[in-house]
Amino acid sequence: MVYLLFSFAFLAVYRHNQKYEAALLFGLSYCIGSFGFLIDFFRDYFIAYWTASLANTCYATTLFLFVHASYLWSGIQRPWKSTILTLAISGIGFGYLMFVEPHFVLRTVWINFCYGVMTLIGIPAFYAAATSKLRKALAVAYALTCLQFFVRPIVVLQVSQTPLTWEAYSQSLFSAAVHMTMAVAAIGLGMGLLISFVMRIIEDLKANSQTDVLSGLCNRGGFETNSLKLVNDSRKSGKPISIVTANIDHCKMVNDNHGHAFGDVVIQRFGQLILKQVRPSDVAARMAGEEFVIVLEDTSLRDATAIAQHLRVGFSRNNFSEDPFVSGSYLTCSFGVAQLARDERLEKTLKRADAALYLSKSKGRNRVSTEEDLGVKQLRSALSSDEEDKYAEMLQSARR
């Protein structure tokens, strides 16, 4: 029953979002495991060969699926060769000790050893995913589950006062130990994995609420949240931060001449170009319309300017002729770059980057300008006075 409950829970996670393929495999693993325990429970009422074979098949398949699910969950390549080889060797040994040279004790030790090897294959996946306290605890719990397959048969057989036989198996200490240890492992790992999926779902929902669907970048809300965190972290570490502002040239004209559908394609392409250029630690956002901002961690003004130039050249070489909306069209983008000063609010740096962007627009567009092109000292002074409104007006005028 417990196995089936976990199976339904994992399948519900997969139904919520089918990108969680690991949840599907975990669900199937627990489902098949429940049938294995059910067969084991009623083994006295059926032919021994059939119940033993079916139960072993269910348990082996359960572990096979669980190991592959753990690799999907951790995001690393699945170990097809090693798991299939282990599955095959386990089946051959089981068949030999069941039908050719029947030996109940050796068969029991053999299949537990093979189960241990199968779970051992999954350890790299759990430790690769051990990026939080919960996942580290799961890795330890999984390692203990793996260990018990090797230790339990030896310990129980040594402690047991009666010989282990097929007829006495159901009432044996070994059977009780198997069901108890596997139940504890299944519940512990199942709960931990479900919690990790719930946390991932919450993270995805949060990310979706902060993501601009069209460009794939942060929206304004996502920018404000993530950029503030980035600035605070960088101030603690003493790393420089630079800001790049970008504006697609003549975007209104593009929409008027070719339609908003083509304008959406342009924004998508530019968003993809930015995503390829920035690092996971950077914050890139589409603020509104054709306006974009990138906050670059541990990046000097010079390096940020080089990144902006790379984006400018890359976008200007982007041929939109393959799109059905327009034939043979190349578009351009203008950029402004500024570096965050010590103890300065991000808003002020953004205004300087915007002023540099206005300079690029006023000089003919399709270029990169920095705060140094404006004279940093004079500009900082201007932006701390009433003249910042003047720069804002000029920038809005240039974007039209």
Side-chain angles (χ1 to χ4, degrees):
M1 181 62 71
V2 173
Y3 269 67
L4 281 176
L5 289 175
F6 278 110
S7 175
F8 292 145
F10 282 117
L11 293 176
V13 170
Y14 176 71
R15 185 178 179 183
H16 169 76
N17 192 329
Q18 294 186 4
K19 79 173 185 178
Y20 301 133
E21 293 182 23
L24 173 62
L25 291 189
F26 280 128
L28 293 176
S29 172
Y30 272 84
C31 182
I32 294 172
S34 68
F35 284 109
F37 270 99
L38 191 65
I39 294 168
D40 222 1
F41 185 77
F42 291 105
R43 66 166 54 228
D44 293 338
Y45 300 94
F46 300 97
I47 300 172
Y49 291 139
W50 286 109
T51 54
S53 299
L54 285 173
N56 178 64
T57 301
C58 287
Y59 292 148
T61 304
T62 294
L63 292 175
F64 178 86
L65 291 173
F66 194 94
V67 169
H68 279 267
S70 66
Y71 274 82
L72 278 175
W73 173 69
S74 63
I76 58 179
Q77 188 174 2
R78 293 157 70 180
W80 286 102
K81 291 182 180 179
S82 57
T83 50
I84 291 174
L85 181 63
T86 303
L87 202 63
I89 293 174
S90 171
I92 292 170
F94 176 85
Y96 181 83
L97 294 170
M98 170 68 81
F99 301 106
V100 181
E101 293 287 341
H103 197 297
F104 187 74
V105 174
L106 284 180
R107 187 173 74 244
T108 301
V109 173
W110 169 255
I111 60 177
N112 275 271
F113 174 79
C114 291
Y115 294 163
V117 172
M118 183 69 81
T119 53
L120 192 65
I121 297 171
I123 284 182
F126 275 86
Y127 276 85
T131 55
S132 65
K133 290 182 179 179
L134 172 64
R135 294 190 172 207
K136 288 177 181 177
L138 278 171
V140 172
Y142 185 82
L144 292 174
T145 302
C146 173
L147 182 64
Q148 62 91 25
F149 280 113
F150 297 104
V151 175
R152 185 188 62 221
I154 299 172
V155 173
V156 174
L157 289 174
Q158 290 293 327
V159 172
S160 179
Q161 300 296 320
T162 57
L164 185 63
T165 63
W166 175 264
E167 292 75 14
Y169 178 80
S170 297
Q171 305 301 321
S172 68
L173 179 62
F174 189 90
S175 177
V178 167
H179 289 92
M180 183 186 70
T181 55
M182 291 309 300
V184 171
I187 293 172
L189 290 173
M191 287 296 295
L193 288 166
L194 280 174
I195 292 172
S196 75
F197 276 113
V198 170
M199 292 174 65
R200 189 177 296 183
I201 289 171
I202 293 172
E203 289 172 1
D204 287 346
L205 291 173
K206 182 179 178 181
N208 289 336
S209 69
Q210 296 180 347
T211 302
D212 174 63
V213 177
L214 190 58
S215 66
L217 307 176
C218 291
N219 56 25
R220 182 178 290 275
F223 173 79
E224 291 175 354
T225 300
N226 296 318
S227 62
L228 180 62
K229 182 178 183 302
L230 177 58
V231 169
N232 290 336
D233 291 344
S234 295
R235 278 179 176 154
K236 291 177 183 177
S237 62
K239 296 177 181 178
I241 283 183
S242 292
I243 294 179
V244 175
T245 55
N247 189 275
I248 299 173
D249 296 329
H250 303 296
C251 195
K252 185 177 184 303
M253 187 185 301
V254 170
N255 286 330
D256 292 342
N257 293 340
H258 304 294
H260 287 280
F262 177 67
D264 289 347
V265 171
V266 172
I267 290 171
Q268 287 174 347
R269 291 280 190 87
F270 191 54
Q272 292 168 3
L273 185 65
I274 291 175
L275 286 173
K276 290 179 181 178
Q277 181 67 32
V278 300
R279 301 158 297 184
S281 58
D282 300 326
V283 178
R286 178 186 175 213
M287 302 298 281
E290 69 278 14
E291 301 173 14
F292 299 84
V293 177
I294 309 170
V295 182
L296 299 166
E297 181 189 28
D298 195 16
T299 305
S300 65
L301 183 68
R302 180 179 178 181
D303 291 337
T305 303
I307 291 171
Q309 285 287 7
H310 184 82
L311 289 170
R312 183 191 66 79
V313 173
F315 187 69
S316 65
R317 290 177 178 174
N318 205 328
N319 189 355
F320 291 89
S321 60
E322 71 271 20
D323 291 295
F325 306 106
V326 64
S327 59
S329 179
Y330 290 88
L331 301 176
T332 61
C333 192
S334 299
F335 295 83
V337 186
Q339 183 172 334
L340 185 73
R342 181 177 296 181
D343 298 327
E344 181 182 48
R345 290 185 298 109
L346 186 64
E347 292 80 0
K348 291 186 68 175
T349 316
L350 272 170
K351 289 177 181 178
R352 293 202 310 279
D354 267 350
L357 173 59
Y358 161 73
L359 183 63
S360 295
K361 293 282 191 180
S362 65
K363 287 188 174 181
R365 297 178 169 83
N366 190 27
R367 65 179 64 227
V368 176
S369 299
T370 73
E371 59 183 355
E372 290 181 343
D373 298 323
L374 298 159
V376 179
K377 292 182 179 180
Q378 294 82 356
L379 181 58
R380 285 177 180 165
S381 175
L383 291 180
S384 63
S385 67
D386 294 337
E387 290 190 41
E388 63 184 37
D389 294 332
K390 172 185 174 183
Y391 282 105
E393 291 175 5
M394 288 190 296
L395 182 61
Q396 291 298 325
S397 176
R399 287 174 176 168
R400 295 191 185 102

